[in-house]
Amino acid sequence: MSSSPKLEYSESNQVSPLPAVQRHITGHNDDGVAVFHSSKPCAWAKLGPSLAFNVVYTISVPKPSMNNDIDISTHESVMESGKLGLVSPNGSVCRMVDFGPSTADAHATPIMHRTQSLDYGIVLEGEVECVLDSGEVRLMKRGDIAIQRGTMHAWRNASTTEWARIIFVLLSAEKVNVHGKELEAGVEGEVPEVVKNQLAGEL
């Protein structure tokens, strides 16, 4: 796990002009009737002037218990620990990421990385390029979905003027093995220190 200082999450850390996000968690009352457990704005962590994310929810086991709100208290403990990397080992992470417009100083060289996870990435706002280490690129528009299967990849805002937003669900997975070669999680190239510290967690 990374030994770097933990990220600071707050509503004021949203760096994009995109709409603020509310998280609604459901539960049950004493009669077993569905109710809203809580509703509150999502808190953001800044990784730079044009990159920020919020962790909507985490699960730390393959089949979580929702009895006595165990899953909620576990998620809160994980977030308070500051030790969450991109992936929750043996569990899942739902994370929303805002990408600023691509300029000479922002996202000109996307961060190529591999996580030990199966990921669903859904574009909510703008247009985003999904870049693979083979050089292949796909332009994703609002509503498009990428299924990342342990590949070395990067994300790049396709616009030089508009912000983009993706929501990811990362499911912890076995290491990918291609013809007897295990592909390790990691990052390629130079990345900002604050981003490197986040990626240095459980990739």
Side-chain angles (χ1 to χ4, degrees):
M1 302 292 292
S2 173
S3 60
S4 59
K6 68 179 183 179
L7 293 171
E8 296 295 331
Y9 291 85
S10 76
E11 296 173 47
S12 62
N13 278 344
Q14 180 174 338
V15 296
S16 81
L18 297 175
V21 179
Q22 292 276 332
R23 184 192 68 178
H24 307 283
I25 298 179
T26 62
H28 298 90
N29 64 18
D30 292 341
D31 297 321
V33 177
V35 295
F36 283 103
H37 171 277
S38 61
S39 296
K40 67 178 186 178
C42 286
W44 295 78
K46 290 192 293 187
L47 295 182
S50 58
L51 183 64
F53 67 79
N54 74 70
V55 176
V56 182
Y57 208 61
T58 63
I59 294 298
S60 299
V61 293
K63 295 177 67 175
S65 171
M66 294 175 284
N67 297 324
N68 300 314
D69 295 337
I70 292 175
D71 59 313
I72 296 176
S73 59
T74 301
H75 164 71
E76 292 173 348
S77 295
V78 168
M79 296 306 297
E80 289 171 3
S81 74
K83 296 180 179 180
L84 177 69
L86 289 188
V87 178
S88 173
N90 302 312
S92 66
V93 178
C94 181
R95 178 183 286 109
M96 188 176 294
V97 184
D98 282 359
F99 299 87
S102 293
T103 67
D105 299 320
H107 312 304
T109 303
I111 301 169
M112 194 68 66
H113 61 288
R114 184 198 324 277
T115 56
Q116 190 176 320
S117 59
L118 172 65
D119 309 338
Y120 308 135
I122 307 166
V123 178
L124 301 180
E125 300 282 355
E127 297 185 354
V128 179
E129 291 178 332
C130 179
V131 184
L132 305 183
D133 63 351
S134 64
E136 293 180 86
V137 180
R138 293 289 186 273
L139 176 64
M140 297 176 58
K141 299 184 179 182
R142 183 185 297 175
D144 287 348
I145 305 171
I147 313 300
Q148 284 289 351
R149 301 174 57 247
T151 60
M152 186 65 75
H153 67 284
W155 304 99
R156 178 170 54 209
N157 188 340
S159 174
T160 59
T161 58
E162 304 298 324
W163 281 76
R165 172 176 286 171
I166 307 181
I167 190 163
F168 297 97
V169 177
L170 295 86
L171 309 175
S172 180
E174 299 291 332
K175 286 185 178 180
V176 175
N177 189 304
V178 178
H179 300 303
K181 178 183 178 182
E182 280 195 343
L183 304 182
E184 298 290 337
V187 186
E188 289 187 350
E190 294 295 322
V191 298
E193 191 65 26
V194 65
V195 176
K196 185 184 299 182
N197 289 341
Q198 175 66 18
L199 293 172
E202 293 290 346
L203 286 156

